Amino acid sequence: QVQLVESGGGFVKPGGSLRLSCVASGFTFNDYYMSWIRQAPGKGLEWISYISGSGGTIYYADSVKGRFTISRDNAKNSVFLQMNSLRAEDTAVYYCARRGNYYYSSDSWGQGTLVTVSS
Amino acid sequence: DIQMTQSPSSLSASVGDRVTITCRASQSVTNFLNWYQQRPGKAPKCLIYAASSLQSGVPSRFSGSGSGTDFALTISSLQPGDFATYYCQQSYSIPHTFGQGTRLDI
């Protein structure tokens, strides 16, 4: 079965950096776009980034463009989110999700990793 | 960006009730509309994709309808595990925006 496991969350000061990882199993990893979606405490869901199966196509939400970088290593079935210049408003649970190939739903999710940005 | 608006924001119901949650897009998303369920402290789970297609393993009491700008998620007979927050999401144009959520309480 599809499994996604995130890691790398933690506590960081404003302006700092953090790198999130997500390891996938149970499917042919390079056949799928992967995404990061976040949820601030007590708030709704916010899509932030996609990366294609080859890594050649990438999209970002305006709220993170220029600060966050998504990447993947298909040999290790892993997707990453490098987060720089972090702000208090980036505090959230970050989910890794697989994007379905038809109609682009997020059809499988990891358990999430919490990022807290505070001085 | 396409704005997604859900109503109601919260809803109280009982086991066995039939409930409907609606989602409106600020412009047409054709049928690129998905529904998710999130139980407290858990990751979201996809229930419906393409407006009306049931994700594998999701009980048939969940159904979706609509196209263009107006959509609905219906739960035909509420079960205890259905008390959760529900989100719609458009996947027609990037950014793939979510609605603000509908909290379904007992």
Side-chain angles (χ1 to χ4, degrees):
Chain A
Q1 73 282 17
V2 175
Q3 190 169 11
L4 301 170
V5 179
E6 303 96 334
S7 61
F11 190 96
V12 61
K13 292 184 178 181
S17 298
L18 214 53
R19 188 185 193 222
L20 307 183
S21 300
C22 171
V23 178
S25 60
F27 63 102
T28 304
F29 184 66
N30 59 9
D31 280 350
Y32 289 87
Y33 272 66
M34 296 298 295
S35 60
W36 288 96
I37 296 165
R38 69 183 179 183
Q39 186 170 37
K43 302 296 184 182
L45 299 167
E46 179 188 14
W47 170 84
I48 57 173
S49 186
Y50 279 137
I51 185 167
S52 64
S54 67
T57 301
I58 286 172
Y59 302 99
Y60 296 104
D62 286 347
S63 58
V64 305
K65 199 174 296 182
R67 300 187 300 123
F68 290 11
T69 302
I70 193 171
S71 62
R72 65 192 293 159
D73 182 342
N74 287 342
K76 296 182 178 179
N77 282 5
S78 296
V79 60
F80 308 100
L81 188 67
Q82 177 66 42
M83 304 185 295
N84 298 332
S85 303
L86 282 162
R87 307 166 179 166
E89 55 265 35
D90 296 317
T91 294
V93 174
Y94 285 73
Y95 294 101
C96 165
R98 186 181 81 170
R99 197 190 84 167
N101 287 331
Y102 305 100
Y103 295 96
Y104 312 146
S105 64
S106 296
D107 63 8
S108 297
W109 297 64
Q111 83 288 352
T113 188
L114 176 63
V115 172
T116 303
V117 185
S118 175
S119 55
Chain B
D1 297 0
I2 297 176
Q3 306 303 314
M4 307 301 292
T5 303
Q6 291 180 230
S7 62
S9 294
S10 63
L11 175 62
S12 292
S14 301
V15 171
D17 285 353
R18 177 185 179 91
V19 298
T20 296
I21 298 168
T22 63
C23 177
R24 175 165 286 177
S26 60
Q27 63 189 74
S28 176
V29 298
T30 66
N31 64 337
F32 282 76
L33 191 286
N34 313 301
W35 289 98
Y36 302 89
Q37 175 194 66
Q38 186 177 32
R39 296 185 174 117
K42 300 296 186 182
K45 169 188 171 183
C46 184
L47 300 175
I48 302 282
Y49 65 96
S52 60
S53 295
L54 204 63
Q55 187 73 24
S56 176
V58 173
S60 59
R61 64 180 179 275
F62 292 93
S63 62
S65 62
S67 66
T69 60
D70 293 301
F71 301 88
L73 172 71
T74 297
I75 310 172
S76 61
S77 178
L78 278 172
Q79 299 301 301
D82 300 338
F83 293 94
T85 300
Y86 293 84
Y87 294 92
C88 63
Q89 180 205 26
Q90 65 82 16
S91 50
Y92 180 76
S93 72
I94 286 173
H96 287 176
T97 42
F98 290 88
Q100 81 279 14
T102 295
R103 179 173 170 169
L104 178 55
D105 291 325
I106 298 174

Short mmCIF file of all heavy atoms in Angstrom, two decimals, chain A residues 33 37 39 42-47 50 59-62 95 98-99 102-112, chain B residues 1 31-34 36 38 41-46 48-50 55 87 89 91-92 94-100:
data_model
loop_
_atom_site.label_atom_id
_atom_site.label_comp_id
_atom_site.label_asym_id
_atom_site.label_seq_id
_atom_site.Cartn_x
_atom_site.Cartn_y
_atom_site.Cartn_z
N TYR A 33 3.60 13.04 -9.85
CA TYR A 33 3.89 14.31 -9.22
C TYR A 33 3.77 14.11 -7.70
O TYR A 33 2.94 13.34 -7.21
CB TYR A 33 2.84 15.35 -9.62
CG TYR A 33 3.11 16.13 -10.89
CD1 TYR A 33 3.13 15.52 -12.13
CD2 TYR A 33 3.29 17.51 -10.83
CE1 TYR A 33 3.34 16.27 -13.29
CE2 TYR A 33 3.50 18.27 -11.98
CZ TYR A 33 3.52 17.64 -13.20
OH TYR A 33 3.72 18.37 -14.34
N ILE A 37 1.82 20.28 1.12
CA ILE A 37 0.63 21.01 1.53
C ILE A 37 0.79 21.28 3.01
O ILE A 37 1.25 20.40 3.75
CB ILE A 37 -0.64 20.17 1.25
CG1 ILE A 37 -0.79 19.94 -0.26
CG2 ILE A 37 -1.89 20.84 1.83
CD1 ILE A 37 -1.77 18.84 -0.63
N GLN A 39 -0.65 23.17 6.87
CA GLN A 39 -1.82 23.54 7.66
C GLN A 39 -1.34 24.25 8.92
O GLN A 39 -0.77 23.62 9.81
CB GLN A 39 -2.64 22.31 8.01
CG GLN A 39 -3.94 22.60 8.72
CD GLN A 39 -4.81 21.36 8.83
OE1 GLN A 39 -4.32 20.25 9.04
NE2 GLN A 39 -6.13 21.54 8.69
N GLY A 42 -4.83 25.17 13.77
CA GLY A 42 -6.24 25.57 13.81
C GLY A 42 -6.79 26.14 12.53
O GLY A 42 -7.93 26.64 12.52
N LYS A 43 -6.03 26.07 11.45
CA LYS A 43 -6.45 26.66 10.19
C LYS A 43 -6.69 25.60 9.12
O LYS A 43 -6.58 24.40 9.38
CB LYS A 43 -5.38 27.66 9.71
CG LYS A 43 -5.07 28.76 10.69
CD LYS A 43 -6.27 29.66 10.94
CE LYS A 43 -5.91 30.83 11.86
NZ LYS A 43 -7.10 31.69 12.13
N GLY A 44 -6.99 26.07 7.91
CA GLY A 44 -7.26 25.17 6.80
C GLY A 44 -6.00 24.74 6.05
O GLY A 44 -4.88 25.02 6.47
N LEU A 45 -6.22 24.08 4.94
CA LEU A 45 -5.14 23.52 4.13
C LEU A 45 -4.67 24.52 3.09
O LEU A 45 -5.48 25.24 2.50
CB LEU A 45 -5.62 22.24 3.45
CG LEU A 45 -6.07 21.13 4.39
CD1 LEU A 45 -6.82 20.05 3.62
CD2 LEU A 45 -4.88 20.54 5.12
N GLU A 46 -3.36 24.55 2.86
CA GLU A 46 -2.77 25.43 1.85
C GLU A 46 -1.80 24.62 1.00
O GLU A 46 -0.78 24.14 1.50
CB GLU A 46 -2.04 26.60 2.51
CG GLU A 46 -1.39 27.53 1.48
CD GLU A 46 -0.51 28.61 2.10
OE1 GLU A 46 -0.15 28.50 3.29
OE2 GLU A 46 -0.14 29.55 1.38
N TRP A 47 -2.11 24.48 -0.30
CA TRP A 47 -1.16 23.87 -1.22
C TRP A 47 0.02 24.80 -1.41
O TRP A 47 -0.16 26.01 -1.58
CB TRP A 47 -1.84 23.62 -2.57
CG TRP A 47 -0.87 23.20 -3.62
CD1 TRP A 47 -0.39 21.96 -3.86
CD2 TRP A 47 -0.21 24.07 -4.54
NE1 TRP A 47 0.53 21.99 -4.88
CE2 TRP A 47 0.66 23.28 -5.32
CE3 TRP A 47 -0.25 25.44 -4.79
CZ2 TRP A 47 1.45 23.79 -6.33
CZ3 TRP A 47 0.54 25.98 -5.80
CH2 TRP A 47 1.40 25.15 -6.56
N TYR A 50 4.35 21.66 -6.11
CA TYR A 50 4.34 20.40 -6.84
C TYR A 50 5.68 20.19 -7.53
O TYR A 50 6.33 21.17 -7.95
CB TYR A 50 3.33 20.44 -7.99
CG TYR A 50 1.90 20.21 -7.67
CD1 TYR A 50 0.93 21.01 -8.26
CD2 TYR A 50 1.49 19.19 -6.84
CE1 TYR A 50 -0.42 20.82 -8.01
CE2 TYR A 50 0.15 18.97 -6.58
CZ TYR A 50 -0.80 19.79 -7.17
OH TYR A 50 -2.13 19.58 -6.93
N TYR A 59 6.08 23.80 -9.50
CA TYR A 59 5.18 24.94 -9.24
C TYR A 59 5.26 25.29 -7.76
O TYR A 59 5.46 24.42 -6.91
CB TYR A 59 3.73 24.58 -9.57
CG TYR A 59 3.48 24.14 -10.99
CD1 TYR A 59 3.38 22.79 -11.32
CD2 TYR A 59 3.30 25.08 -12.01
CE1 TYR A 59 3.13 22.38 -12.61
CE2 TYR A 59 3.05 24.67 -13.31
CZ TYR A 59 2.96 23.33 -13.60
OH TYR A 59 2.71 22.93 -14.90
N TYR A 60 5.05 26.57 -7.48
CA TYR A 60 5.01 27.06 -6.10
C TYR A 60 3.83 28.00 -5.90
O TYR A 60 3.43 28.73 -6.82
CB TYR A 60 6.28 27.84 -5.75
CG TYR A 60 7.55 27.05 -5.78
CD1 TYR A 60 8.46 27.18 -6.84
CD2 TYR A 60 7.88 26.19 -4.75
CE1 TYR A 60 9.64 26.46 -6.86
CE2 TYR A 60 9.07 25.46 -4.75
CZ TYR A 60 9.94 25.60 -5.82
OH TYR A 60 11.10 24.88 -5.85
N ALA A 61 3.33 28.02 -4.69
CA ALA A 61 2.40 29.07 -4.29
C ALA A 61 3.17 30.38 -4.13
O ALA A 61 4.36 30.37 -3.77
CB ALA A 61 1.71 28.71 -2.98
N ASP A 62 2.49 31.49 -4.37
CA ASP A 62 3.16 32.79 -4.25
C ASP A 62 3.72 33.01 -2.84
O ASP A 62 4.74 33.69 -2.67
CB ASP A 62 2.18 33.92 -4.59
CG ASP A 62 1.90 34.01 -6.08
OD1 ASP A 62 2.63 33.38 -6.88
OD2 ASP A 62 0.94 34.71 -6.45
N TYR A 95 2.52 18.56 5.13
CA TYR A 95 2.19 17.22 4.62
C TYR A 95 2.81 17.02 3.24
O TYR A 95 2.76 17.91 2.38
CB TYR A 95 0.69 17.07 4.47
CG TYR A 95 -0.11 17.10 5.75
CD1 TYR A 95 -0.80 18.24 6.15
CD2 TYR A 95 -0.19 15.97 6.57
CE1 TYR A 95 -1.55 18.25 7.31
CE2 TYR A 95 -0.93 15.98 7.74
CZ TYR A 95 -1.61 17.12 8.10
OH TYR A 95 -2.36 17.13 9.26
N ARG A 98 0.86 12.55 -2.55
CA ARG A 98 0.98 12.10 -3.93
C ARG A 98 -0.15 12.71 -4.73
O ARG A 98 -1.32 12.69 -4.31
CB ARG A 98 0.90 10.57 -4.01
CG ARG A 98 1.16 10.02 -5.39
CD ARG A 98 1.06 8.52 -5.42
NE ARG A 98 -0.33 8.07 -5.50
CZ ARG A 98 -0.70 6.81 -5.73
NH1 ARG A 98 0.24 5.88 -5.87
NH2 ARG A 98 -1.96 6.48 -5.80
N ARG A 99 0.17 13.28 -5.88
CA ARG A 99 -0.86 13.83 -6.75
C ARG A 99 -1.30 12.78 -7.75
O ARG A 99 -0.48 12.23 -8.48
CB ARG A 99 -0.34 15.07 -7.49
CG ARG A 99 -1.44 15.92 -8.08
CD ARG A 99 -0.90 16.99 -9.00
NE ARG A 99 -0.69 16.47 -10.35
CZ ARG A 99 -0.45 17.23 -11.42
NH1 ARG A 99 -0.37 18.56 -11.28
NH2 ARG A 99 -0.27 16.70 -12.60
N TYR A 102 -4.90 11.66 -12.71
CA TYR A 102 -6.12 12.12 -13.37
C TYR A 102 -6.87 13.01 -12.40
O TYR A 102 -7.07 12.64 -11.26
CB TYR A 102 -6.99 10.92 -13.78
CG TYR A 102 -6.24 9.94 -14.64
CD1 TYR A 102 -5.71 8.77 -14.11
CD2 TYR A 102 -6.06 10.19 -15.99
CE1 TYR A 102 -5.01 7.88 -14.91
CE2 TYR A 102 -5.36 9.31 -16.79
CZ TYR A 102 -4.83 8.15 -16.24
OH TYR A 102 -4.14 7.28 -17.03
N TYR A 103 -7.20 14.19 -12.85
CA TYR A 103 -7.94 15.14 -12.04
C TYR A 103 -7.16 15.68 -10.84
O TYR A 103 -7.67 16.50 -10.09
CB TYR A 103 -9.31 14.56 -11.61
CG TYR A 103 -10.19 14.34 -12.81
CD1 TYR A 103 -10.26 13.10 -13.42
CD2 TYR A 103 -10.90 15.40 -13.36
CE1 TYR A 103 -11.03 12.92 -14.56
CE2 TYR A 103 -11.69 15.22 -14.49
CZ TYR A 103 -11.74 13.97 -15.08
OH TYR A 103 -12.51 13.79 -16.19
N TYR A 104 -5.92 15.19 -10.67
CA TYR A 104 -4.93 15.84 -9.83
C TYR A 104 -5.32 15.96 -8.35
O TYR A 104 -4.90 16.90 -7.67
CB TYR A 104 -4.56 17.21 -10.37
CG TYR A 104 -4.26 17.20 -11.86
CD1 TYR A 104 -4.58 18.29 -12.67
CD2 TYR A 104 -3.66 16.10 -12.47
CE1 TYR A 104 -4.31 18.28 -14.02
CE2 TYR A 104 -3.39 16.08 -13.82
CZ TYR A 104 -3.72 17.17 -14.59
OH TYR A 104 -3.45 17.16 -15.93
N SER A 105 -6.12 15.03 -7.85
CA SER A 105 -6.38 15.04 -6.41
C SER A 105 -5.14 14.59 -5.66
O SER A 105 -4.26 13.91 -6.22
CB SER A 105 -7.54 14.11 -6.08
OG SER A 105 -7.19 12.76 -6.40
N SER A 106 -5.05 14.96 -4.39
CA SER A 106 -3.99 14.45 -3.51
C SER A 106 -4.51 13.15 -2.93
O SER A 106 -5.26 13.16 -1.95
CB SER A 106 -3.67 15.47 -2.43
OG SER A 106 -3.13 16.63 -3.02
N ASP A 107 -4.13 12.03 -3.55
CA ASP A 107 -4.80 10.78 -3.23
C ASP A 107 -4.16 9.99 -2.10
O ASP A 107 -4.76 9.04 -1.60
CB ASP A 107 -4.97 9.91 -4.48
CG ASP A 107 -3.65 9.49 -5.10
OD1 ASP A 107 -2.59 9.73 -4.51
OD2 ASP A 107 -3.69 8.90 -6.20
N SER A 108 -2.97 10.38 -1.68
CA SER A 108 -2.34 9.75 -0.53
C SER A 108 -1.53 10.80 0.21
O SER A 108 -0.88 11.63 -0.44
CB SER A 108 -1.42 8.60 -0.94
OG SER A 108 -2.14 7.58 -1.58
N TRP A 109 -1.56 10.77 1.54
CA TRP A 109 -0.93 11.77 2.37
C TRP A 109 -0.02 11.10 3.40
O TRP A 109 -0.34 10.02 3.90
CB TRP A 109 -1.98 12.58 3.12
CG TRP A 109 -2.92 13.38 2.27
CD1 TRP A 109 -3.83 12.89 1.36
CD2 TRP A 109 -3.07 14.79 2.26
NE1 TRP A 109 -4.52 13.92 0.78
CE2 TRP A 109 -4.08 15.10 1.33
CE3 TRP A 109 -2.47 15.84 2.95
CZ2 TRP A 109 -4.50 16.41 1.06
CZ3 TRP A 109 -2.88 17.14 2.69
CH2 TRP A 109 -3.88 17.42 1.75
N GLY A 110 1.03 11.80 3.78
CA GLY A 110 1.80 11.39 4.93
C GLY A 110 1.14 11.86 6.21
O GLY A 110 0.09 12.50 6.19
N GLN A 111 1.80 11.58 7.33
CA GLN A 111 1.23 11.93 8.64
C GLN A 111 1.51 13.37 9.04
O GLN A 111 0.91 13.90 9.96
CB GLN A 111 1.77 10.98 9.73
CG GLN A 111 3.13 11.35 10.31
CD GLN A 111 4.31 11.11 9.36
OE1 GLN A 111 4.16 10.53 8.29
NE2 GLN A 111 5.49 11.56 9.76
N GLY A 112 2.43 14.02 8.30
CA GLY A 112 2.74 15.42 8.56
C GLY A 112 3.92 15.58 9.51
O GLY A 112 4.21 14.71 10.34
N ASP B 1 -6.00 33.82 -8.72
CA ASP B 1 -6.25 32.53 -8.08
C ASP B 1 -7.75 32.27 -7.97
O ASP B 1 -8.56 33.21 -7.82
CB ASP B 1 -5.66 32.51 -6.67
CG ASP B 1 -4.14 32.66 -6.65
OD1 ASP B 1 -3.55 32.79 -7.75
OD2 ASP B 1 -3.58 32.68 -5.55
N ASN B 31 -14.90 19.92 -13.88
CA ASN B 31 -15.13 18.92 -12.83
C ASN B 31 -13.85 18.59 -12.07
O ASN B 31 -13.73 17.52 -11.46
CB ASN B 31 -15.76 17.66 -13.40
CG ASN B 31 -14.85 16.95 -14.38
OD1 ASN B 31 -13.96 17.56 -14.96
ND2 ASN B 31 -15.08 15.67 -14.59
N PHE B 32 -12.89 19.52 -12.08
CA PHE B 32 -11.64 19.33 -11.34
C PHE B 32 -11.85 19.77 -9.89
O PHE B 32 -11.29 20.76 -9.42
CB PHE B 32 -10.50 20.09 -12.00
CG PHE B 32 -9.95 19.40 -13.21
CD1 PHE B 32 -10.65 19.41 -14.42
CD2 PHE B 32 -8.74 18.73 -13.16
CE1 PHE B 32 -10.15 18.78 -15.53
CE2 PHE B 32 -8.23 18.09 -14.29
CZ PHE B 32 -8.93 18.12 -15.47
N LEU B 33 -12.65 18.97 -9.18
CA LEU B 33 -13.03 19.31 -7.82
C LEU B 33 -12.91 18.06 -6.95
O LEU B 33 -13.42 16.99 -7.32
CB LEU B 33 -14.47 19.86 -7.81
CG LEU B 33 -15.03 20.53 -6.54
CD1 LEU B 33 -15.37 19.52 -5.44
CD2 LEU B 33 -14.07 21.58 -5.99
N ASN B 34 -12.22 18.21 -5.84
CA ASN B 34 -11.95 17.09 -4.94
C ASN B 34 -12.47 17.40 -3.54
O ASN B 34 -12.55 18.56 -3.15
CB ASN B 34 -10.44 16.84 -4.87
CG ASN B 34 -9.79 16.82 -6.23
OD1 ASN B 34 -10.16 16.01 -7.09
ND2 ASN B 34 -8.84 17.73 -6.47
N TYR B 36 -12.06 16.20 0.65
CA TYR B 36 -11.21 15.53 1.64
C TYR B 36 -11.90 15.54 2.99
O TYR B 36 -12.63 16.47 3.33
CB TYR B 36 -9.86 16.24 1.77
CG TYR B 36 -9.10 16.32 0.47
CD1 TYR B 36 -9.27 17.39 -0.39
CD2 TYR B 36 -8.22 15.31 0.09
CE1 TYR B 36 -8.59 17.47 -1.59
CE2 TYR B 36 -7.53 15.38 -1.11
CZ TYR B 36 -7.73 16.46 -1.95
OH TYR B 36 -7.05 16.53 -3.14
N GLN B 38 -10.89 15.27 7.11
CA GLN B 38 -9.80 15.32 8.08
C GLN B 38 -10.36 15.12 9.48
O GLN B 38 -11.11 15.96 9.98
CB GLN B 38 -9.01 16.62 8.01
CG GLN B 38 -7.79 16.61 8.90
CD GLN B 38 -6.95 17.87 8.78
OE1 GLN B 38 -7.47 18.96 8.54
NE2 GLN B 38 -5.63 17.73 8.94
N GLY B 41 -6.44 15.67 14.50
CA GLY B 41 -5.10 15.17 14.71
C GLY B 41 -4.58 14.24 13.63
O GLY B 41 -3.49 13.67 13.78
N LYS B 42 -5.32 14.09 12.54
CA LYS B 42 -4.94 13.18 11.47
C LYS B 42 -4.71 13.93 10.16
O LYS B 42 -5.13 15.08 10.00
CB LYS B 42 -6.03 12.13 11.26
CG LYS B 42 -6.32 11.27 12.49
CD LYS B 42 -5.14 10.43 12.89
CE LYS B 42 -5.48 9.49 14.03
NZ LYS B 42 -4.29 8.70 14.46
N ALA B 43 -4.06 13.24 9.24
CA ALA B 43 -3.88 13.80 7.91
C ALA B 43 -5.20 13.74 7.14
O ALA B 43 -6.04 12.88 7.39
CB ALA B 43 -2.81 13.01 7.16
N PRO B 44 -5.38 14.66 6.20
CA PRO B 44 -6.56 14.57 5.33
C PRO B 44 -6.56 13.28 4.53
O PRO B 44 -5.52 12.66 4.29
CB PRO B 44 -6.42 15.79 4.41
CG PRO B 44 -5.54 16.74 5.18
CD PRO B 44 -4.58 15.86 5.92
N LYS B 45 -7.76 12.92 4.09
CA LYS B 45 -7.96 11.72 3.29
C LYS B 45 -8.87 12.09 2.12
O LYS B 45 -9.89 12.75 2.33
CB LYS B 45 -8.63 10.64 4.15
CG LYS B 45 -9.13 9.43 3.41
CD LYS B 45 -9.94 8.54 4.35
CE LYS B 45 -10.65 7.42 3.63
NZ LYS B 45 -11.48 6.60 4.55
N CYS B 46 -8.48 11.68 0.92
CA CYS B 46 -9.29 12.01 -0.25
C CYS B 46 -10.53 11.10 -0.29
O CYS B 46 -10.41 9.87 -0.21
CB CYS B 46 -8.48 11.84 -1.53
SG CYS B 46 -9.37 12.32 -3.01
N ILE B 48 -13.44 12.05 -2.62
CA ILE B 48 -14.04 12.21 -3.95
C ILE B 48 -13.06 12.97 -4.82
O ILE B 48 -12.45 13.96 -4.38
CB ILE B 48 -15.35 13.04 -3.85
CG1 ILE B 48 -16.37 12.39 -2.93
CG2 ILE B 48 -15.92 13.31 -5.25
CD1 ILE B 48 -17.13 11.24 -3.50
N TYR B 49 -12.91 12.53 -6.07
CA TYR B 49 -12.14 13.29 -7.05
C TYR B 49 -13.00 13.45 -8.30
O TYR B 49 -14.01 12.76 -8.47
CB TYR B 49 -10.80 12.61 -7.37
CG TYR B 49 -10.94 11.26 -8.06
CD1 TYR B 49 -10.88 11.15 -9.44
CD2 TYR B 49 -11.16 10.11 -7.30
CE1 TYR B 49 -11.03 9.93 -10.06
CE2 TYR B 49 -11.30 8.87 -7.92
CZ TYR B 49 -11.24 8.79 -9.30
OH TYR B 49 -11.39 7.57 -9.93
N ALA B 50 -12.60 14.36 -9.15
CA ALA B 50 -13.38 14.63 -10.37
C ALA B 50 -14.85 14.89 -10.07
O ALA B 50 -15.74 14.43 -10.80
CB ALA B 50 -13.21 13.49 -11.39
N GLN B 55 -13.18 7.80 -4.30
CA GLN B 55 -11.84 7.24 -4.14
C GLN B 55 -11.96 5.80 -3.67
O GLN B 55 -12.86 5.45 -2.90
CB GLN B 55 -11.06 8.08 -3.11
CG GLN B 55 -9.61 7.74 -2.95
CD GLN B 55 -8.74 8.17 -4.10
OE1 GLN B 55 -9.09 9.09 -4.84
NE2 GLN B 55 -7.61 7.53 -4.26
N TYR B 87 -13.02 19.38 3.43
CA TYR B 87 -12.48 20.42 2.57
C TYR B 87 -12.74 20.10 1.10
O TYR B 87 -12.57 18.94 0.68
CB TYR B 87 -10.97 20.55 2.75
CG TYR B 87 -10.51 21.01 4.11
CD1 TYR B 87 -10.20 20.10 5.11
CD2 TYR B 87 -10.37 22.37 4.39
CE1 TYR B 87 -9.77 20.52 6.36
CE2 TYR B 87 -9.94 22.80 5.64
CZ TYR B 87 -9.64 21.87 6.61
OH TYR B 87 -9.22 22.30 7.85
N GLN B 89 -11.38 21.15 -2.82
CA GLN B 89 -10.17 21.67 -3.46
C GLN B 89 -10.38 21.66 -4.98
O GLN B 89 -10.86 20.66 -5.53
CB GLN B 89 -8.95 20.80 -3.15
CG GLN B 89 -7.66 21.29 -3.79
CD GLN B 89 -6.64 20.17 -4.00
OE1 GLN B 89 -7.00 19.00 -4.13
NE2 GLN B 89 -5.37 20.52 -4.00
N SER B 91 -8.62 21.52 -8.59
CA SER B 91 -7.35 21.12 -9.20
C SER B 91 -7.36 21.46 -10.69
O SER B 91 -6.74 20.78 -11.51
CB SER B 91 -7.07 19.63 -8.96
OG SER B 91 -8.19 18.84 -9.31
N TYR B 92 -8.07 22.54 -11.01
CA TYR B 92 -8.18 22.99 -12.40
C TYR B 92 -7.04 23.91 -12.80
O TYR B 92 -6.51 23.81 -13.91
CB TYR B 92 -9.53 23.71 -12.58
CG TYR B 92 -9.78 24.22 -13.97
CD1 TYR B 92 -10.14 23.35 -14.99
CD2 TYR B 92 -9.69 25.58 -14.24
CE1 TYR B 92 -10.39 23.83 -16.27
CE2 TYR B 92 -9.93 26.07 -15.51
CZ TYR B 92 -10.28 25.19 -16.52
OH TYR B 92 -10.52 25.65 -17.79
N ILE B 94 -3.45 26.11 -11.18
CA ILE B 94 -2.51 26.32 -10.08
C ILE B 94 -2.56 27.78 -9.65
O ILE B 94 -2.56 28.67 -10.52
CB ILE B 94 -1.10 25.89 -10.50
CG1 ILE B 94 -1.07 24.35 -10.53
CG2 ILE B 94 -0.02 26.43 -9.59
CD1 ILE B 94 0.18 23.75 -11.08
N PRO B 95 -2.62 28.10 -8.35
CA PRO B 95 -2.52 27.18 -7.21
C PRO B 95 -3.80 26.40 -6.97
O PRO B 95 -4.90 26.96 -7.12
CB PRO B 95 -2.23 28.12 -6.05
CG PRO B 95 -2.90 29.40 -6.43
CD PRO B 95 -2.72 29.51 -7.92
N HIS B 96 -3.67 25.16 -6.59
CA HIS B 96 -4.81 24.28 -6.37
C HIS B 96 -5.41 24.58 -4.99
O HIS B 96 -5.13 23.91 -4.02
CB HIS B 96 -4.40 22.82 -6.50
CG HIS B 96 -4.14 22.41 -7.90
ND1 HIS B 96 -3.67 21.16 -8.25
CD2 HIS B 96 -4.31 23.08 -9.07
CE1 HIS B 96 -3.55 21.08 -9.56
NE2 HIS B 96 -3.93 22.24 -10.08
N THR B 97 -6.28 25.53 -4.95
CA THR B 97 -6.78 26.11 -3.72
C THR B 97 -7.84 25.25 -3.05
O THR B 97 -8.62 24.55 -3.71
CB THR B 97 -7.35 27.50 -3.99
OG1 THR B 97 -8.12 27.47 -5.22
CG2 THR B 97 -6.24 28.53 -4.15
N PHE B 98 -7.86 25.35 -1.71
CA PHE B 98 -8.83 24.65 -0.88
C PHE B 98 -9.91 25.61 -0.39
O PHE B 98 -9.66 26.81 -0.23
CB PHE B 98 -8.13 24.05 0.35
CG PHE B 98 -7.22 22.90 0.06
CD1 PHE B 98 -5.89 23.12 -0.27
CD2 PHE B 98 -7.68 21.59 0.14
CE1 PHE B 98 -5.02 22.06 -0.52
CE2 PHE B 98 -6.83 20.52 -0.11
CZ PHE B 98 -5.50 20.75 -0.44
N GLY B 99 -11.08 25.06 -0.09
CA GLY B 99 -12.06 25.80 0.67
C GLY B 99 -11.61 25.93 2.11
O GLY B 99 -10.64 25.29 2.54
N GLN B 100 -12.35 26.72 2.88
CA GLN B 100 -11.93 27.01 4.26
C GLN B 100 -12.28 25.88 5.22
O GLN B 100 -11.84 25.88 6.37
CB GLN B 100 -12.59 28.32 4.74
CG GLN B 100 -14.03 28.19 5.22
CD GLN B 100 -15.06 28.17 4.11
OE1 GLN B 100 -14.75 28.00 2.92
NE2 GLN B 100 -16.32 28.34 4.50
#
